Amino acid sequence: MAAHACLPALLALSSSPPPRARGLGTRTLGVDYGLRRVGVALGTGYAPQPLCILSVDSPHAAAARLCAIAAAEGAEQLVVGLPYTSSGGEGEQALLTRAFARLLAEASPRRPVFLWDERFSSAEAAARMHAGRGAARGEALDAAAAAVILESFFDGEHSRAEWVAVPPPPPPPPRLTAPPPTYSELRARMQARAAEQGRGAPPPAGRARKRKR
């Protein structure tokens, strides 16, 4: 009965629409992921600012630090730049970024994580740093690229950002059950049970009369 009672709730949960990215006015953490460094920026749609750079010791550690920064800064969502190729395809770096975004989504259950096209963010950040506009001179390229990602996200159709779904937990392992007994085991059990019952039974009436004589 309990399983049937929970079924409607599970179906409603599975059929609920995925979250959609929110635009102007939403405090958002921008992430430019790299194998060695992660650039971080923060903004609400109006001139996002480079925030910091994280050294990547491990993807799990980087995801945990980003979650801590998002909580400390009051971010409501995280946007990770996805480095498509110039033709719109996905290479090795895009696949690695997707894997990291899934780690980040698992570590950030309260804040949705989205992917956004960032194929030209690094070039734009480098041009701005060289020209001395947008990001201050000397600002690290990765953090500046994260700010460019946020600008593109807020200026574009942010609702088209790709939500990173949290993978469901693995199913519990099957319960191990003992194999059915063999014929020999069943016969031995029956014989032992019969012998035990025979020892506990009262003596026959005829034997009891002979003892009285």
Side-chain angles (χ1 to χ4, degrees), residues 49-154:
Q49 295 298 312
L51 190 61
C52 63
I53 294 177
L54 304 179
S55 297
V56 179
D57 298 324
S58 74
H60 289 85
R65 292 184 64 186
L66 283 171
C67 289
I69 293 173
E73 297 293 339
E76 302 172 65
Q77 60 187 6
L78 295 91
V79 174
V80 180
L82 185 63
Y84 289 106
T85 63
S86 57
S87 60
E90 294 189 19
E92 291 185 356
Q93 183 59 38
L95 296 178
L96 289 172
T97 301
R98 281 190 176 276
F100 176 74
R102 285 193 293 270
L103 285 178
L104 186 57
E106 291 178 10
S108 177
R110 297 183 179 181
R111 296 174 180 85
V113 177
F114 300 95
L115 289 168
W116 184 257
D117 183 359
E118 65 123 352
R119 70 186 79 179
F120 303 119
S121 62
S122 296
E124 175 66 17
R128 292 187 182 190
M129 289 175 60
H130 181 73
R133 68 181 183 86
R137 287 185 179 276
E139 191 68 64
L141 179 62
D142 299 294
V148 172
I149 290 171
L150 282 186
E151 284 187 13
S152 173
F153 168 78
F154 284 117

